[in-house]
Amino acid sequence: FGCLLAAPRDRALKVHSGPTHAPRMLRPPRTMLPIRRGLATMLGLEVFESSSASLFGGEKKLSVRDFALPSEYANRNVVLLARPSNAPLPDALPAGAGGFSVLGVVQLSGGTAPYENRQAFESDVSRHQVPPGSEVYRKYAGESGGAWPGPLGDVYAWSIDSAEPKPEWHARFQGGATPAITRRHK
């Protein structure tokens, strides 16, 4: 799911989503360019809340996805939209509605070629933190020993070049309330 997060300078954030095969991406204010009609453009990415410990602890070095990292999002700050469950965020939520939280900021790279086979995917388990038998493993790779690629098709590993917990600027927007989100494309 892709989205563009636009932050009115003094109001709640608004997220606009892109095509299904683009990630939810955000860019923090210090790097916001361009600013159009009083809105700052940001990039955001949906993630599970449970990934924060390994992500900010430095163990998680790859993010597994079923689409390639779009080149225009590589090497840019990406704000993580953490959801507590396996369900994707709804197509629209008003500011302050909850259902997710701003987890932190990452920079991503790579992720343009899929894993060639299950062995390659499993050899990266220490970096992507998706062990065989887990729910996320079954989502992307299917059952151990099954056909490759898994049920979602090709699997890509996006390199996590840096990860920082929730940025201080987030609290300035409506006291840290969740931004409004609207998915533009499915």
Side-chain angles (χ1 to χ4, degrees), residues 2-4 18 22-23 25 43 69-78 108:
C3 75
L4 190 60
M25 301 286 190
L43 302 173
L69 177 66
S71 60
E72 64 269 22
Y73 299 145
N75 304 309
R76 295 177 69 182
N77 288 336
V78 176
L108 304 164

Side-chain angles (χ1 to χ4, degrees), residues 117-118 137-143 146-155:
N117 54 47
R118 182 177 307 280
Y137 181 93
R138 285 188 296 277
K139 175 183 174 181
Y140 289 102
E143 295 299 325
W148 187 262
L152 297 178
D154 288 336
V155 180

